[in-house]
Amino acid sequence: MYFSRDNVFYLNGKWLNATDAMGNLFSQTLHYGNGAFDGLRAYATNTGPQIFKAKQHFDRLHYSASKMSIDIDHTSEDLIEIAHQLLSKNRLNNAYIRPLVYLGADTELSETKEVFLLMAAWEWERYLGSDLLKVMISSYEKPSHESIPADTKIYGHYTNSILATMEAKSKGFDEALLLNSDGYVTEGPGANFFYEKDEVLYTPPAGDILPGITRATVISYAREIGYKVVEKQFTAEELVDADAAFFTGTAAEIAGIKSIGGHDFAMDWEDTVAYSLFLMYRQRVVNNEYRDFTLV
Ligand code: PMP
């Protein structure tokens, strides 16, 4: 449920009730998909909600918007403050936060000056759920960074993502994994991808992926506890011999994968390095036990 009668959101300096929301039906964003967004998560702690890597997410929102020549007249620090007010006004502790930049009316395919910054929050279970996932290699290709800047959360990417997820679901899978035009694995429609082999983790390099904030966090946790992480290109065929695989993302957190293309991974999820990282992430980020950290 994205909003209820009582839900309040932020729009260009004002706090509005969700049921009073109005938009311009001639928005360039609605017609042509010009805009940017991001997704953050807040977790309950003894001292109130903590937002996971808030500055990095809002800096990325600025970066994504700048790639479309859109100026956001709020600093990342302003946006962090607004996010905290948003949580408090909606009495949310564990929540997903969606800042979204959209544009005014324009029928041209060029820069539009009227910019709207919306921020909403709602309770949201882990995107991709908690069960191990059945994944298929998508027949849709991930756009190359030469067609759409890969390191941004601009809307164009998500047309491709929706097509890939819809295809996977229609074929009885939970999620898709996309290859680039050279046949190398890139990422899921809304999350980064890792596989594990002989206690080493492999993940596609920056280039045709969104190099996620969770991906960077997981890489640093793995290295901290002595595991090697290799960023390299690999094909779907190489996954047949993998011990395990998982997706990472702010909304998905760490989501384990059961099978790819109907082929189950050899190891039990609970016996993998990936699972240790899953527990570590849960303890540090989800349960916010940064200081008292011990690996379960
Ligand atoms: N790739 C794509 C295409 C995504 O939409 C996301 C979600 N933002 C990610 C990767 C993961 O990024 P992050 O860990 O920063 O949420």
Side-chain angles (χ1 to χ4, degrees), residues 48-68:
Q50 290 284 343
I51 301 173
F52 173 61
K53 310 235 176 202
K55 171 102 168 63
Q56 282 96 322
H57 283 91
F58 287 125
D59 285 351
R60 183 170 67 191
L61 181 70
H62 279 99
Y63 176 74
S64 301
S66 75
K67 284 283 170 177
M68 299 305 296

Side-chain angles (χ1 to χ4, degrees), residues 109-144:
L109 294 180
S110 53
E111 247 175 277
T112 303
K113 285 281 166 250
E114 203 182 1
V115 178
F116 295 91
L117 185 116
L118 164 75
M119 207 188 302
W122 59 87
E123 275 177 23
W124 209 26
E125 290 301 302
R126 281 171 58 203
Y127 165 67
L128 300 176
S130 307
D131 295 336
L132 294 183
L133 302 165
K134 288 187 286 169
V135 170
M136 70 167 275
I137 301 293
S138 185
S139 71
Y140 291 96
E141 213 169 72
K142 177 86 190 166
S144 86

Side-chain angles (χ1 to χ4, degrees), residues 33-89:
N34 185 6
F37 69 101
D38 216 285
L40 300 85
R41 253 192 202 285
Y43 296 100
T45 74
N46 292 338
T47 53
Q50 290 284 343
I51 301 173
F52 173 61
K53 310 235 176 202
K55 171 102 168 63
Q56 282 96 322
H57 283 91
F58 287 125
D59 285 351
R60 183 170 67 191
L61 181 70
H62 279 99
Y63 176 74
S64 301
S66 75
K67 284 283 170 177
M68 299 305 296
S69 303
I70 300 170
D71 227 21
I72 306 175
D73 70 349
H74 295 67
T75 63
S76 292
E77 287 69 25
D78 293 342
L79 294 172
I80 293 172
E81 175 55 33
I82 292 165
H84 280 288
Q85 286 183 34
L86 179 70
L87 294 172
S88 151
K89 282 179 191 292

Side-chain angles (χ1 to χ4, degrees), residues 33 139 150 201 209 213 243 272 295:
S139 71
L201 296 175
I209 62 164
I213 294 163
D243 296 329
T272 61
L295 189 61

